[in-house]
Amino acid sequence: MPSLDRKPGDSGQRTAKAVEWIREEGIKMLISRRDNVQRLETHLLSLADLGRKLLVLGIAVWLCLNLDRAHAQEPQMMLRISEIEIHADHLDQYKALLKEEAEASVRLEPGVIAIFPLYQREDHTQIRILEMYADRQAYEAHLKTPHFQKYKTATLHMVKSLKLVDMQAIDAETMTRMFKKMKR
């Protein structure tokens, strides 16, 4: 700031310098404040953007946790294909026991949706069974039933090879419609 010591005859000049100095300092303060306001606005926008991102992330995490819980609580259907090769000399007896077991399982067990035995046209000893259970617990309960235990022990010596293949439905919605379309 210029010196404001009073000397005779130069009061107008000093006043003009003081006014000029005040104006310049005021402009500097305004510019400084404008820059500070702009920086503050930028920070606030960044914080708002960060807040939106955190909110979206929070919602995503919440959805994942709740969907996992929903899936964990919702029993998942168990699907399996049993690939079995039977010794040819036991084929007729095996088919009769399998037919009996499949019918009893579907009729007696609420958790057994389907046990559908099939054989290959070219090689009748190649058996495939489409197994559908309401959930894993229904499958485990099925293994303990008297009719399954009878089938398992009676056919053990007839089986040349067995492969159990767990499957996953590609289109479960269409699968439910398929069963509705079937006629008795």
Side-chain angles (χ1 to χ4, degrees), residues 105-123:
S105 297
V106 172
R107 179 173 44 84
L108 298 172
E109 298 177 62
V112 174
I113 297 167
I115 294 187
F116 193 65
L118 307 155
Y119 62 88
Q120 290 182 10
R121 286 184 183 178
E122 293 82 27
D123 183 357

Side-chain angles (χ1 to χ4, degrees), residues 7 24 46 63 82-83 109 130 137 149 155 159 180:
K7 294 181 186 172
E24 287 175 7
S46 295
L63 284 172
S82 297
E83 298 177 350
E109 298 177 62
L130 172 61
Q137 290 76 22
Q149 290 297 317
T155 61
V159 175
K180 288 178 185 175

